Amino acid sequence: MRILVTNCNTTEAMTKEIEAGARAAASPGTEILARTPLWGPESAEGWLDSFLSAAAVLDLLHGLDEPFDALVMAGFGEHGREGARELLDVPVVDITEAAAHLACLLGRRYGVVTTLDRTCGLIEDSLHGAGVAQNCVGVLGAGLGVLELSDDRRTESALLTAGRRARDAGAEVLVLGCAGMTGLDRRISAMLDIPVIDGVAAAVRLAESLVALDLKTSRAGSYARPLPKTRLWPRNSSSTCDAHDRK
Amino acid sequence: MRILVTNCNTTEAMTKEIEAGARAAASPGTEILARTPLWGPESAEGWLDSFLSAAAVLDLLHGLDEPFDALVMAGFGEHGREGARELLDVPVVDITEAAAHLACLLGRRYGVVTTLDRTCGLIEDSLHGAGVAQNCVGVLGAGLGVLELSDDRRTESALLTAGRRARDAGAEVLVLGCAGMTGLDRRISAMLDIPVIDGVAAAVRLAESLVALDLKTSRAGSYARPLPKTRLWPRNSSSTCDAHDRK
Amino acid sequence: MRILVTNCNTTEAMTKEIEAGARAAASPGTEILARTPLWGPESAEGWLDSFLSAAAVLDLLHGLDEPFDALVMAGFGEHGREGARELLDVPVVDITEAAAHLACLLGRRYGVVTTLDRTCGLIEDSLHGAGVAQNCVGVLGAGLGVLELSDDRRTESALLTAGRRARDAGAEVLVLGCAGMTGLDRRISAMLDIPVIDGVAAAVRLAESLVALDLKTSRAGSYARPLPKTRLWPRNSSSTCDAHDRK
Amino acid sequence: MRILVTNCNTTEAMTKEIEAGARAAASPGTEILARTPLWGPESAEGWLDSFLSAAAVLDLLHGLDEPFDALVMAGFGEHGREGARELLDVPVVDITEAAAHLACLLGRRYGVVTTLDRTCGLIEDSLHGAGVAQNCVGVLGAGLGVLELSDDRRTESALLTAGRRARDAGAEVLVLGCAGMTGLDRRISAMLDIPVIDGVAAAVRLAESLVALDLKTSRAGSYARPLPKTRLWPRNSSSTCDAHDRK
Amino acid sequence: MRILVTNCNTTEAMTKEIEAGARAAASPGTEILARTPLWGPESAEGWLDSFLSAAAVLDLLHGLDEPFDALVMAGFGEHGREGARELLDVPVVDITEAAAHLACLLGRRYGVVTTLDRTCGLIEDSLHGAGVAQNCVGVLGAGLGVLELSDDRRTESALLTAGRRARDAGAEVLVLGCAGMTGLDRRISAMLDIPVIDGVAAAVRLAESLVALDLKTSRAGSYARPLPKTRLWPRNSSSTCDAHDRK
Amino acid sequence: MRILVTNCNTTEAMTKEIEAGARAAASPGTEILARTPLWGPESAEGWLDSFLSAAAVLDLLHGLDEPFDALVMAGFGEHGREGARELLDVPVVDITEAAAHLACLLGRRYGVVTTLDRTCGLIEDSLHGAGVAQNCVGVLGAGLGVLELSDDRRTESALLTAGRRARDAGAEVLVLGCAGMTGLDRRISAMLDIPVIDGVAAAVRLAESLVALDLKTSRAGSYARPLPKTRLWPRNSSSTCDAHDRK
């Protein structure tokens, strides 16, 4: 089985980290393919970035030739998930929802610790759209930008502080709300003594499960195949028309 | 006062219609400026189109030189609203929320009639995000694609059928859920004997109100100014880096 | 266009203030007509006062001869709104809902700062009824009675304290929850650096918008015209019967 | 123990019926005292009537000299309940909430059958305010005005039709949503083979329970005693000032 | 009238206390019959205990020969209520829901103070299932195990501390969330100056009300009579088959 | 990895079917161990059965000596899940929640088709407790008892009818709401042309995922280890005391 993992931003180093995290979580026999969008923000922190990221990832997917069995979208709270479900014939799992689904299985209430306060609303909306917001006691910012996460010590300290606030608010399980936090889950878990979930790992396992059970995105209703029409895709918008979708 | 109106799709004829509708609704002294995105779908019907549209409209806004006092986003249910709020220093009103706000003032429950069933979920989510979903009894598809709306007779008949279903479900007010339906509101209203709201008109008036009261988007929290960072904007993604946002 | 503004209490001085606020917010060409109920509480602070106020305002409206194009009800959280919608053929906008509608356009979450804690529940219910409670993070009392608001310095200080609590709770926009606070919005906004909305101003602009768009209260369902029947109106309850409503 | 029952409208014959229903439901030793408001609508059907009724009943209570141990408010969906809680030192139970509370004990979901469709929203809001709306599957109008209920045969037939619709919608228990339906509960129950609750009977028993357990309305927060202030009560609004409340 | 009260745990001393509380609350002429399950936990603190308790109480009810007119289930938050409704032909009232129903009549918001934090979620779910969770501001643990409640002084102090937190969170009425707290309600109420409700007393009165009004559990839908089938009841699980339910 | 699967009822034949379904869904290398409770109902259809089943399964788990890495609870809508989480140190996944989690990944809305109408409420509550009810458009009964499912033809026909109703209500994905329906998912899916999820298969894969990611039930809060205390377990309730839990 081959799982494509898309980073939501243009930072290659982060794609590498995500790829490593995905590989560590995957079953033996699962191949991980990680890709970076060709345009968009270097990190996604807020709605402007998120909407650029969504289109950039869809643009990337639209141009891909390689076959894959499932897509994992590695952008915590970032948009695009439903569009990918329309575009692709394989299952799509986003790391936001994936982490929340597993969190619900491990405790009665969970919390999310993310980067900056400005992204909390975005994540709340993403959880709501995915249908798993009910048992979330809160999404808390750790006061760190996405690209500051490379400072491991500072990140760990900030996550611990935010994680304690989530626990005090009733979280029995913690979700790490950024693809760039991959790898920190076990250390935070040990320190706070509650399960901590990394979205990339969760999404890889859920994607594998869907493929194994031969379950695909429903084409009835919301995620029907895109209607054939003229779409000017951003990467070649100078051309007059892209009839690629007309089938 | 000058209000910029952005179409969500690349169909110029629809931009013209929206512009005319906006002008008809505007106060004397308000100048309407309508713009079409440079890329994206020719019509937005579903999440894939909507996410492309969101980025295309943000891309358009990012490249604009002209001054304006408020933005009206003419795409019913389409994404992008929150990103525009971050990007711009002027008020942003999207026609989805605008129509719903006015609908709440005219009846205890309202309904939305839109084009295809596949877009209903998108609109429900948009109303929820805007905080005005509670009194909505349903979003109903009329079975017509966006570009089929030019057939007036068929459109009117389809809207009447869907409008009656909404009324039977408890809607006391009807919202026309597509920018391309502008102009049909009064006829449908007369036939169904309930108020019918056109989102473009509603949004223009709300935008004027915000400007007149000197109210601007909050910069505290969700819609803070975009962080300065490298963003590769789609229109010039071949260039290495766009430092435009770094201030 | 002529907009009638009704105060919810019998204090004429407050009617004058509300009238001035309404005028300052109105478009050129809009005439403001302010009226005080003939009976009821001198200030509305709680359900008892609110229910008396609702009937007193309806009683006033029932007895009015003057023509007007829209009604603005200036009582934050006070009852009566839906009754006025049944009674009148012109649009009705209450300052509670009006402020909330505009607040939703300016930030992802808003908060309300009002007078006494005892009125908070009333306001919460009013927002819920109007369909705009979802994005409200809280209604907070400032610890001041309605008639104490004339002490500007104390009022400002109390509003700032409560406003900071609202902001800490996630409010990105603030609503001033009392008609008697009209005029303080800009100062509080400057001090807290978030948009602050005055309900009277918001309601006047929304009422103008509805009139301009020729939108009227729906008569289908909840706000149908009152059934003809014997109603003993309070002002002449010693008379045997008032057949005024029988048409 | 002495329970005061207030009718919400001015129709004496209905007060008599309510009184009889209350007596039939009361424990031995409970005295029932029924009163009619001095002004207001002859029947309450909609918000205008309901707000007049609320003030008229509060006006009545304000002027009462007789002692009583609890108040039962007999107006299904009518306003005023919270105001009476502020005004009185004895427990207050409204028939809307009372019926719903007992209904929740008898089935997983309940439905309400009321008079006209125009009053359904009012009842929904009243149930929501009382905190018991969650398990209600719907409030359905039977197409009969309050004063048409005296035609027993027609009423029974209309209630059966509406009751069947409620049952089909999932109602396992039925609430009769009008004080004027008192007495029909057992017949409808026998015909539909589900429990049917009369609000007057339910409220009398709940009021007795609160008195027996020495439980009184909380004075902490919402239902604190009315603030002393000038209130012009409607019945003597020609007088200059009523300082009755100043203690 | 004869009301059966079941303790949820096997501690006889607690059954005695519950019995005394029930008697003190009952009307003259009501006979109280208290029973202890034959197996299960000595105190119920969490889901494991609660599920054992539910089956043990149902097992007890299944084996009972004595006639009774209503059942009161004395286990705060414990499961079983809906099963008893299926099993018995008489009304069933559980002390959790009973306390909440009365609390809703006395204040706009209520809070629950219980034993250990680990039981709070259980109680929240029970209130939700009963349809009365909406107006609950929180369920708070007092940090005391069920069997520690016999230390009156420590219990009182812990309940006061938790009660103050509930009041600060907006509770206008307090519910004592454990059958073992029966008798403390008046003292806590006097100290906190808000109404405090004991679930056993509330349930006894509600059960009496249902019996007096001849209201029984609905057999339509959820609580239909158990289907006849082979059930191996735990007390005689060594036997091959119990056809008791086959009728 | 070894996964224990517990049937919720005493019917061995159904345990065999569930075991076969679990095996078919498991990864290579996963060992499936299926067990039947020693007492309880032969099929679970309603709350009485469900509460008996919950205790019987917990009783079974309490007495088990064999090691296993995760528990799958095969009873659709049946109680017990949270108790097992307290009791065991390994992850617990119930088939109800498992199916819903996967359904959320495949469509915007899902529906559940189950056996008898009387069990629908039970399932709704179970989905709500698990935090995944939001996107469920309805739980529909197919009019078949659990033990009638062995008639394949009748079952298929009944499921198709109910499945079409769910699809018409907006379900884009279908969940088979009974462990006894295992194996029918693909045929129903082919006929209705939407994804159909079998809870046993979903739960096995989710359990494997949790084990693979080394995620365990949180011990902070709700699912802390059971307190040591005297519990009389049903299977040896004639003995005086079971101190097994005291450690």
Side-chain angles (χ1 to χ4, degrees), chain D residues 85 97 101 104-108 128-131 134-135 172 186 194-196 201 205-206 209 212-213 215-218 220 222-223, chain E residues 85 97 101 104-108 128-131 134-135 172 186 194-196 205-206 209 212-213 215-218 220-223:
Chain D
R85 288 192 173 128
E97 62 190 353
H101 282 298
C104 288
L105 296 172
L106 299 173
R108 195 171 169 274
H128 184 269
Q134 180 194 289
N135 288 358
E172 299 172 0
R186 295 191 188 203
I194 57 173
V196 175
R205 283 282 167 174
L206 283 173
S209 298
L213 298 175
L215 290 168
K216 294 204 168 66
T217 301
S218 176
S222 299
Y223 309 141
Chain E
R85 288 193 171 127
E97 61 190 353
H101 282 297
C104 287
L105 296 172
L106 300 173
R108 194 170 170 275
H128 183 268
Q134 180 194 288
N135 289 356
E172 300 172 1
R186 295 191 188 202
I194 56 173
V196 175
R205 283 282 166 175
L206 284 172
S209 298
L213 299 175
L215 289 168
K216 293 205 169 67
T217 300
S218 176
S222 299
Y223 308 141

Coordinates of all heavy atoms in Angstrom, one line a residue, chain D residues 85 97 101 104-108 128-131 134-135 172 186 194-196 201 205-206 209 212-213 215-218 220 222-223, chain E residues 85 97 101 104-108 128-131 134-135 172 186 194-196 205-206 209 212-213 215-218 220-223:
Chain D
R85 N -41.3 35.1 39.2 CA -40.2 34.6 40.1 C -39.5 35.7 40.9 O -39.2 35.6 42.0 CB -39.3 33.7 39.4 CG -39.9 32.4 39.0 CD -39.0 31.3 38.5 NE -39.8 30.1 38.4 CZ -39.8 29.3 37.3 NH1 -39.1 29.6 36.2 NH2 -40.6 28.2 37.2
E97 N -43.6 24.4 31.3 CA -42.5 23.7 31.8 C -42.9 22.5 32.6 O -42.3 21.4 32.5 CB -41.6 24.6 32.6 CG -42.3 25.2 33.9 CD -41.5 26.3 34.6 OE1 -40.3 26.6 34.2 OE2 -42.0 26.9 35.5
H101 N -41.6 18.8 32.1 CA -40.8 18.0 33.2 C -41.4 16.6 33.4 O -40.6 15.6 33.4 CB -40.8 18.8 34.5 CG -39.8 20.0 34.5 ND1 -38.5 19.8 34.4 CD2 -40.0 21.3 34.6 CE1 -37.9 21.0 34.4 NE2 -38.8 21.9 34.6
C104 N -40.7 14.2 30.4 CA -39.4 13.7 30.3 C -39.2 12.4 31.2 O -38.4 11.6 31.0 CB -38.3 14.7 30.8 SG -38.1 16.0 29.6
L105 N -40.1 12.3 32.2 CA -40.0 11.1 33.1 C -40.7 9.9 32.6 O -40.5 8.8 33.1 CB -40.6 11.5 34.5 CG -39.9 12.6 35.3 CD1 -40.7 13.0 36.5 CD2 -38.5 12.1 35.7
L106 N -41.5 10.1 31.5 CA -42.4 9.0 31.1 C -42.0 8.4 29.7 O -42.5 7.4 29.3 CB -43.8 9.5 31.0 CG -44.4 10.0 32.3 CD1 -45.8 10.6 32.1 CD2 -44.5 8.8 33.3
G107 N -41.1 9.1 29.0 CA -40.6 8.6 27.7 C -39.4 9.3 27.3 O -39.0 10.3 27.9
R108 N -38.7 8.7 26.3 CA -37.4 9.3 25.9 C -37.6 10.6 25.1 O -36.7 11.5 25.1 CB -36.7 8.3 25.1 CG -35.2 8.6 24.9 CD -34.5 7.4 24.2 NE -33.1 7.9 23.9 CZ -32.9 8.5 22.7 NH1 -33.8 8.7 21.8 NH2 -31.7 8.9 22.4
H128 N -37.3 26.0 25.8 CA -35.9 26.2 25.8 C -35.5 27.0 27.0 O -34.5 26.7 27.7 CB -35.5 26.9 24.5 CG -34.0 27.1 24.4 ND1 -33.4 28.2 24.9 CD2 -33.0 26.3 23.9 CE1 -32.1 28.1 24.7 NE2 -31.8 26.9 24.1
G129 N -36.2 28.1 27.3 CA -35.9 28.9 28.4 C -35.9 28.1 29.7 O -35.2 28.3 30.7
A130 N -36.9 27.2 29.8 CA -37.1 26.4 31.0 C -36.1 25.2 31.1 O -36.0 24.5 32.1 CB -38.5 25.8 31.0
G131 N -35.3 25.0 30.0 CA -34.3 24.0 30.1 C -34.7 22.6 29.8 O -34.0 21.6 30.0
Q134 N -34.7 19.9 25.1 CA -33.9 18.9 24.4 C -34.7 17.6 23.9 O -34.5 17.2 22.8 CB -32.8 18.5 25.3 CG -31.8 17.4 24.7 CD -30.9 16.8 25.7 OE1 -30.0 17.5 26.2 NE2 -31.2 15.6 26.0
N135 N -35.5 17.1 24.7 CA -36.2 15.8 24.3 C -37.5 16.0 23.6 O -38.3 15.1 23.4 CB -36.3 14.9 25.6 CG -35.0 14.3 26.0 OD1 -34.0 14.6 25.4 ND2 -35.0 13.6 27.1
E172 N -43.0 9.9 22.3 CA -43.5 8.7 23.1 C -44.5 9.2 24.2 O -45.2 8.4 24.8 CB -42.3 8.0 23.8 CG -41.4 7.5 22.7 CD -40.1 6.9 23.2 OE1 -39.9 6.9 24.5 OE2 -39.2 6.5 22.4
R186 N -57.0 12.4 29.3 CA -57.3 11.0 29.4 C -57.9 10.4 28.1 O -57.6 9.3 27.7 CB -58.1 10.7 30.6 CG -57.3 11.0 31.9 CD -57.9 10.6 33.1 NE -57.1 11.2 34.2 CZ -56.9 10.8 35.4 NH1 -57.6 9.7 35.8 NH2 -56.2 11.4 36.3
I194 N -50.7 6.4 24.4 CA -49.5 6.9 25.0 C -49.9 7.9 26.1 O -51.0 8.4 26.1 CB -48.5 7.7 24.0 CG1 -49.3 8.8 23.3 CG2 -48.0 6.7 22.9 CD1 -48.3 9.6 22.4
P195 N -49.0 8.1 27.0 CA -49.4 9.1 28.1 C -49.6 10.5 27.5 O -48.8 10.9 26.7 CB -48.1 9.0 29.0 CG -47.3 7.8 28.6 CD -47.7 7.5 27.2
V196 N -50.6 11.1 28.1 CA -50.9 12.5 27.7 C -50.9 13.4 28.9 O -51.5 13.0 29.9 CB -52.2 12.6 26.9 CG1 -52.6 14.0 26.6 CG2 -52.1 11.8 25.6
A201 N -52.5 20.3 35.6 CA -52.4 19.2 36.6 C -50.9 19.0 37.0 O -50.6 18.9 38.2 CB -53.0 17.9 36.0
R205 N -49.2 19.8 40.8 CA -48.4 18.8 41.6 C -47.0 19.2 41.9 O -46.4 19.0 42.9 CB -48.5 17.4 40.9 CG -49.8 16.7 41.0 CD -49.9 16.0 42.4 NE -51.2 15.6 42.7 CZ -51.5 14.9 43.8 NH1 -50.6 14.6 44.7 NH2 -52.8 14.5 44.1
L206 N -46.4 19.8 40.8 CA -45.0 20.3 41.0 C -44.9 21.4 42.1 O -44.0 21.5 42.9 CB -44.4 20.8 39.7 CG -44.0 19.6 38.8 CD1 -43.6 20.2 37.4 CD2 -42.8 18.8 39.4
S209 N -45.2 20.0 45.4 CA -43.9 19.3 45.8 C -42.9 20.3 46.3 O -42.2 20.1 47.3 CB -43.3 18.6 44.6 OG -44.2 17.6 44.1
A212 N -43.9 21.5 49.7 CA -43.8 20.4 50.7 C -42.3 20.3 51.1 O -41.9 20.0 52.2 CB -44.3 19.1 50.2
L213 N -41.4 20.5 50.1 CA -40.0 20.3 50.4 C -39.4 21.6 50.8 O -38.1 21.7 51.0 CB -39.3 19.8 49.1 CG -39.7 18.4 48.7 CD1 -39.1 18.0 47.3 CD2 -39.5 17.3 49.7
L215 N -38.9 24.3 49.3 CA -38.0 24.9 48.2 C -38.5 26.2 47.7 O -39.7 26.2 47.3 CB -37.7 23.9 47.1 CG -36.9 22.6 47.6 CD1 -36.9 21.5 46.5 CD2 -35.4 23.1 47.8
K216 N -37.7 27.2 47.6 CA -38.2 28.5 47.1 C -37.3 28.9 45.9 O -36.1 28.5 45.8 CB -38.1 29.5 48.2 CG -39.1 29.3 49.3 CD -39.5 30.6 50.0 CE -40.6 30.4 51.0 NZ -40.3 29.5 52.1
T217 N -37.8 29.8 45.1 CA -37.0 30.4 44.0 C -35.7 31.0 44.6 O -35.7 31.7 45.6 CB -37.8 31.6 43.4 OG1 -39.0 31.0 42.9 CG2 -37.0 32.2 42.2
S218 N -34.6 30.7 43.9 CA -33.3 31.2 44.2 C -33.3 32.8 44.1 O -33.9 33.3 43.1 CB -32.3 30.7 43.3 OG -31.0 31.2 43.6
A220 N -30.4 34.3 44.2 CA -29.0 34.5 43.7 C -29.0 34.6 42.2 O -29.1 33.6 41.5 CB -28.1 33.4 44.2
S222 N -30.4 35.6 38.6 CA -31.5 36.0 37.7 C -32.7 36.5 38.4 O -33.3 37.5 38.1 CB -31.8 34.8 36.8 OG -30.7 34.5 36.0
Y223 N -33.2 35.7 39.4 CA -34.5 36.0 40.0 C -34.3 36.7 41.4 O -35.1 36.5 42.3 CB -35.3 34.8 40.1 CG -35.4 34.0 38.8 CD1 -35.3 32.6 38.8 CD2 -35.5 34.7 37.6 CE1 -35.4 31.9 37.6 CE2 -35.5 34.0 36.4 CZ -35.5 32.6 36.4 OH -35.5 31.9 35.2
Chain E
R85 N -37.6 1.2 33.4 CA -38.8 1.7 32.7 C -39.4 0.6 31.8 O -40.6 0.4 31.7 CB -38.5 3.0 32.0 CG -38.3 4.1 32.9 CD -38.4 5.5 32.3 NE -38.4 6.5 33.4 CZ -37.5 7.5 33.5 NH1 -36.6 7.7 32.6 NH2 -37.6 8.3 34.6
E97 N -32.2 12.8 37.7 CA -33.1 13.6 36.9 C -34.1 14.4 37.8 O -34.4 15.5 37.6 CB -33.9 12.7 35.9 CG -34.8 11.7 36.6 CD -35.3 10.6 35.6 OE1 -35.2 10.8 34.4 OE2 -35.9 9.7 36.1
H101 N -34.9 18.3 37.6 CA -36.2 18.9 37.2 C -36.6 20.0 38.2 O -37.0 21.0 37.8 CB -37.2 17.7 37.2 CG -37.2 16.9 35.9 ND1 -37.4 17.4 34.7 CD2 -36.9 15.6 35.8 CE1 -37.2 16.4 33.8 NE2 -36.9 15.3 34.4
C104 N -34.5 23.2 37.9 CA -34.9 24.1 36.8 C -36.0 25.0 37.1 O -36.2 26.1 36.5 CB -35.3 23.3 35.6 SG -33.9 22.4 34.8
L105 N -36.9 24.6 38.1 CA -38.0 25.4 38.5 C -37.6 26.6 39.5 O -38.4 27.5 39.7 CB -39.1 24.6 39.1 CG -39.7 23.5 38.2 CD1 -40.6 22.6 39.1 CD2 -40.5 24.1 37.1
L106 N -36.4 26.5 40.0 CA -36.1 27.4 41.1 C -35.0 28.4 40.7 O -34.8 29.4 41.4 CB -35.6 26.6 42.3 CG -36.6 25.7 42.9 CD1 -35.9 24.8 44.0 CD2 -37.8 26.4 43.5
G107 N -34.4 28.2 39.6 CA -33.4 29.2 39.1 C -33.1 29.0 37.7 O -33.4 28.0 37.1
R108 N -32.4 30.0 37.1 CA -32.2 29.9 35.6 C -31.1 28.9 35.3 O -31.0 28.3 34.3 CB -31.8 31.3 35.1 CG -31.8 31.4 33.6 CD -31.7 32.8 33.2 NE -31.5 32.8 31.7 CZ -30.3 32.7 31.1 NH1 -29.2 32.6 31.9 NH2 -30.2 32.7 29.8
H128 N -27.9 14.5 30.6 CA -28.2 14.7 29.2 C -29.2 13.7 28.7 O -30.2 14.1 28.0 CB -26.9 14.5 28.4 CG -27.1 14.8 26.9 ND1 -27.4 13.8 26.1 CD2 -27.1 15.9 26.2 CE1 -27.5 14.2 24.9 NE2 -27.3 15.5 24.9
G129 N -29.1 12.5 29.1 CA -30.1 11.5 28.7 C -31.5 11.8 29.2 O -32.5 11.6 28.5
A130 N -31.6 12.4 30.4 CA -32.9 12.7 31.0 C -33.4 14.0 30.3 O -34.6 14.4 30.6 CB -32.7 12.9 32.5
G131 N -32.6 14.7 29.5 CA -33.2 15.9 28.9 C -33.1 17.2 29.7 O -33.8 18.1 29.4
Q134 N -29.3 21.1 29.9 CA -29.1 22.4 29.3 C -28.8 23.5 30.3 O -27.9 24.3 30.1 CB -30.3 22.8 28.5 CG -30.2 24.1 27.8 CD -31.5 24.6 27.3 OE1 -32.0 24.1 26.3 NE2 -32.1 25.6 27.9
N135 N -29.5 23.6 31.4 CA -29.3 24.6 32.3 C -28.4 24.3 33.4 O -28.3 25.1 34.4 CB -30.7 25.1 32.9 CG -31.5 25.8 31.9 OD1 -31.1 26.0 30.8 ND2 -32.8 26.2 32.2
E172 N -27.5 29.0 40.3 CA -28.4 29.8 41.2 C -29.1 28.8 42.2 O -29.8 29.2 43.1 CB -29.4 30.5 40.4 CG -28.8 31.6 39.5 CD -29.7 32.3 38.5 OE1 -30.9 32.0 38.5 OE2 -29.2 33.1 37.7
R186 N -30.5 21.2 53.7 CA -30.9 22.4 54.4 C -29.7 23.2 55.0 O -29.7 24.4 54.9 CB -31.9 22.1 55.5 CG -33.2 21.6 54.8 CD -34.4 21.5 55.6 NE -35.4 20.8 54.7 CZ -36.7 20.9 54.9 NH1 -37.2 21.6 55.9 NH2 -37.5 20.2 54.1
I194 N -28.6 29.7 48.9 CA -29.3 29.4 47.6 C -30.1 28.1 47.9 O -29.7 27.3 48.8 CB -28.4 29.2 46.4 CG1 -27.3 28.2 46.6 CG2 -27.8 30.6 46.0 CD1 -26.5 27.9 45.4
P195 N -31.1 27.8 47.1 CA -31.8 26.5 47.3 C -30.9 25.3 47.0 O -30.1 25.4 46.1 CB -32.9 26.6 46.3 CG -33.0 28.0 45.8 CD -31.7 28.6 46.0
V196 N -31.0 24.3 47.9 CA -30.2 23.1 47.7 C -31.2 21.9 47.6 O -32.1 21.8 48.5 CB -29.2 22.9 48.8 CG1 -28.5 21.6 48.7 CG2 -28.2 24.1 48.8
R205 N -41.2 12.9 45.7 CA -42.4 13.8 45.4 C -42.8 13.7 43.9 O -44.0 13.7 43.6 CB -42.0 15.2 45.7 CG -42.0 15.5 47.2 CD -43.5 15.7 47.6 NE -43.6 15.7 49.1 CZ -44.8 15.9 49.7 NH1 -45.9 16.2 49.0 NH2 -44.9 15.9 51.0
L206 N -41.8 13.5 43.0 CA -42.2 13.4 41.6 C -42.9 12.1 41.3 O -43.8 12.0 40.6 CB -40.9 13.5 40.7 CG -40.4 15.0 40.5 CD1 -39.1 15.0 39.8 CD2 -41.4 15.8 39.7
S209 N -46.3 12.4 42.4 CA -47.1 13.2 41.5 C -47.6 12.3 40.3 O -48.7 12.4 39.9 CB -46.3 14.4 41.0 OG -45.9 15.2 42.1
A212 N -50.3 10.0 41.4 CA -51.5 10.7 41.7 C -52.2 11.1 40.4 O -53.5 11.1 40.3 CB -51.2 12.0 42.5
L213 N -51.5 11.5 39.4 CA -52.1 11.9 38.1 C -52.3 10.7 37.2 O -52.7 10.9 36.0 CB -51.2 12.9 37.4 CG -50.9 14.2 38.2 CD1 -49.9 15.1 37.5 CD2 -52.3 15.0 38.4
L215 N -50.2 8.8 35.7 CA -49.3 8.8 34.5 C -48.3 7.6 34.6 O -47.7 7.4 35.7 CB -48.6 10.1 34.5 CG -49.5 11.3 34.1 CD1 -48.7 12.6 34.3 CD2 -49.9 11.2 32.6
K216 N -48.2 6.9 33.6 CA -47.3 5.7 33.5 C -46.3 5.9 32.4 O -46.5 6.6 31.4 CB -48.1 4.5 33.3 CG -49.0 4.1 34.5 CD -49.3 2.6 34.5 CE -50.0 2.3 35.8 NZ -51.4 2.8 35.9
T217 N -45.2 5.2 32.5 CA -44.2 5.2 31.4 C -44.8 4.8 30.1 O -45.6 3.9 30.0 CB -43.1 4.1 31.8 OG1 -42.5 4.4 33.0 CG2 -42.1 4.1 30.7
S218 N -44.5 5.5 29.1 CA -45.0 5.2 27.8 C -44.4 3.9 27.3 O -43.3 3.6 27.5 CB -44.5 6.3 26.8 OG -44.9 6.0 25.5
A220 N -44.8 3.2 24.1 CA -44.6 3.4 22.6 C -43.1 3.8 22.4 O -42.7 4.9 22.7 CB -45.5 4.5 22.2
G221 N -42.4 2.9 21.8 CA -41.0 3.3 21.4 C -40.0 2.7 22.4 O -39.9 1.5 22.6
S222 N -39.2 3.6 22.9 CA -38.1 3.3 23.7 C -38.3 2.3 24.8 O -37.6 1.3 25.1 CB -37.4 4.5 24.3 OG -37.0 5.3 23.2
Y223 N -39.4 2.6 25.6 CA -39.6 1.8 26.8 C -40.7 0.8 26.7 O -41.5 0.5 27.7 CB -39.8 2.7 28.0 CG -38.7 3.8 28.1 CD1 -39.0 5.1 28.5 CD2 -37.4 3.5 27.9 CE1 -38.1 6.1 28.6 CE2 -36.4 4.5 27.9 CZ -36.8 5.8 28.3 OH -35.8 6.7 28.4

